[in-house]
Amino acid sequence: MKKKQFRLLMLLSAFALLILAACGSDSEKETKDAEKEDTGGNSAATDKPESDIKFLSLLTGGTQGTYYALGGTFADLITTGTGIKTTAEVSQASAANMTALQEDKGEIAFVQTDIAYYATEGKMMFDGAKIDTISALGALYPETVQLVTTEASGIKTYADLKGKKVSVGAPGSGTYANAEQLLEIHGLAMTDVKAQNLDFGESTEGLQSGQIDAAFITAGTPTAAVEALNATTKVNIIGMDAGKADELIAKYPYYAKETVATGTYGIANDTETVSVLAMLAVKKDLPDEVVYEMTKAIYDNTDKISHDKGRLIKAETGLAGISIEVHPGAQKYFDEKK
């Protein structure tokens, strides 16, 4: 009798467990269905992409340049948009950033469009060291090639640079390539000046102290380092000679004409020079959905960029001037904007 009661009790317990399991399954299904409704059919609770990536490094430039000034904001936007913690890192800018991406020392980087082209083609400073692991996320804003000097230097034209101490940026940097090409188009070579390999901050300090006479600075205007110099020393921006911008563009088509407007750094007249474009490059092996969300996070939120260059960063010009392969995730975003 006891055995029969025991068997009956076991059967009732098993039946109860089956009922509970069925209820739990229905409840779980209802929860998932509700999540889908809340997220437009996506089973995830948010629109953030699923990824094993936990951290991203955004390579910028020196602390006195525009890349660094924008980097913190971009990192915050990407963190919010993707759910992946992104940190802006100080770096040596364009050329160094391309090498760093190749060596897995970062995933995203600011770079000039001309330097990205050189890297992917194995030209100029990348001769024999072609980089094939990067693609474009998008174009940002014009980077003006500024030949900065002081009123006390007496320099008025490119010809006046001969024999003077001129900061031309680090060898292999974007600024160095720009300086070399602008000197060349004006009939000068690096050997005609006393070239100094300084970063933006060192350049402006050298101008202030009189240790150098002029400096090439390729950055979005106004550039923080030059503004700081102008606060203590009268700044001049040397314009290109008549017709030289056209000659330069004919030889190096990634340049565009640019004007440093009256009032910038307190200058009295519009000054004609040239620019390249700033862009963001990413590693090719980043997942498409992650890069899509990164691109969306930046270009959909340009109103949150407090730097003056934020007004120039637009989705409709996000592919302008890009001469390297665009990452499929970024391409998807820009295709949706058409």
Side-chain angles (χ1 to χ4, degrees):
M1 182 70 179
K2 287 183 179 180
K3 287 184 179 179
K4 288 182 179 180
Q5 289 177 337
F6 179 75
R7 288 193 189 117
L8 179 60
L9 181 61
M10 291 295 292
L11 286 171
L12 289 172
S13 297
F15 183 66
L17 287 172
L18 286 172
I19 293 173
L20 287 171
C23 290
S25 177
D26 288 342
S27 176
E28 183 178 354
K29 182 178 183 301
E30 287 173 6
T31 300
K32 287 184 177 179
D33 288 343
E35 286 177 350
K36 286 183 180 182
E37 289 178 7
D38 289 341
T39 58
N42 188 344
S43 61
T46 72
D47 289 332
K48 293 180 176 62
E50 292 183 9
S51 172
D52 293 333
I53 300 170
K54 302 302 179 187
F55 301 99
L56 291 168
S57 288
L58 170 59
L59 308 177
T60 62
T63 56
Q64 298 295 315
T66 307
Y67 290 172
Y68 183 79
L70 287 170
T73 301
F74 280 25
D76 289 344
L77 291 175
I78 292 170
T79 298
T80 301
T82 65
I84 302 171
K85 176 63 178 174
T86 305
T87 305
E89 309 286 353
V90 176
S91 75
Q92 295 301 311
S94 290
N97 285 353
M98 293 300 91
T99 302
L101 289 183
Q102 176 86 334
E103 296 174 352
D104 293 325
K105 294 177 180 177
E107 292 76 37
I108 324 159
F110 284 85
V111 61
Q112 294 174 198
T113 49
D114 53 335
I115 301 304
Y117 172 78
Y118 297 150
T120 57
E121 295 294 318
K123 295 181 177 180
M124 295 287 287
M125 68 286 291
F126 296 98
D127 186 18
K130 182 177 179 178
I131 293 178
D132 57 7
T133 57
I134 65 167
S135 53
L137 183 147
L140 300 173
Y141 58 86
E143 290 207 278
T144 308
V145 185
Q146 306 163 75
L147 177 54
V148 184
T149 186
T150 64
E151 195 171 67
S153 73
I155 296 172
K156 304 294 182 186
T157 68
Y158 272 76
D160 296 333
L161 295 176
K162 196 164 187 178
K164 299 294 177 67
K165 291 181 180 178
V166 182
S167 173
V168 295
S173 69
T175 298
Y176 188 95
N178 301 147
E180 189 172 45
Q181 290 162 358
L182 267 72
L183 287 171
E184 171 201 335
I185 215 71
H186 285 90
L188 298 169
M190 281 293 181
T191 53
D192 290 319
V193 301
K194 296 175 182 177
Q196 311 291 306
N197 304 122
L198 309 175
D199 65 24
F200 294 171
E202 292 168 337
S203 293
T204 53
E205 288 172 8
L207 286 168
Q208 185 176 18
S209 66
Q211 292 181 327
I212 63 173
D213 303 298
F216 283 94
I217 293 180
T218 302
T221 56
T223 306
V226 184
E227 286 191 305
L229 173 64
N230 187 57
T232 60
T233 307
K234 177 63 178 174
V235 165
N236 282 337
I237 305 295
I238 306 303
M240 296 181 69
D241 293 356
K244 292 301 182 182
D246 290 325
E247 285 185 39
L248 184 74
I249 293 166
K251 187 169 185 178
Y252 304 108
Y254 40 74
Y255 283 104
K257 288 185 179 180
E258 188 71 24
T259 300
V260 182
T262 301
T264 307
Y265 316 127
I267 63 175
N269 300 294
D270 286 354
T271 301
E272 302 304 318
T273 181
V274 291
S275 66
V276 289
L277 281 173
M279 61 172 280
L280 286 176
V282 294
K283 291 186 67 63
K284 283 184 178 180
D285 59 5
L286 284 178
D288 291 1
E289 192 59 27
V290 170
V291 177
Y292 171 84
E293 294 295 344
M294 286 164 51
T295 310
K296 181 180 177 65
I298 293 170
Y299 289 90
D300 277 6
N301 294 286
T302 54
D303 59 318
K304 297 177 183 176
I305 301 172
S306 59
H307 191 280
D308 185 59
K309 287 300 169 188
R311 62 186 174 81
L312 300 177
I313 302 172
K314 302 175 183 178
E316 53 265 38
T317 57
L319 297 179
I322 298 293
S323 57
I324 69 170
E325 178 185 347
V326 178
H327 194 286
Q331 187 67 59
K332 176 185 174 184
Y333 170 81
F334 291 118
D335 286 346
E336 289 177 356
K337 288 294 180 178
K338 290 179 180 177

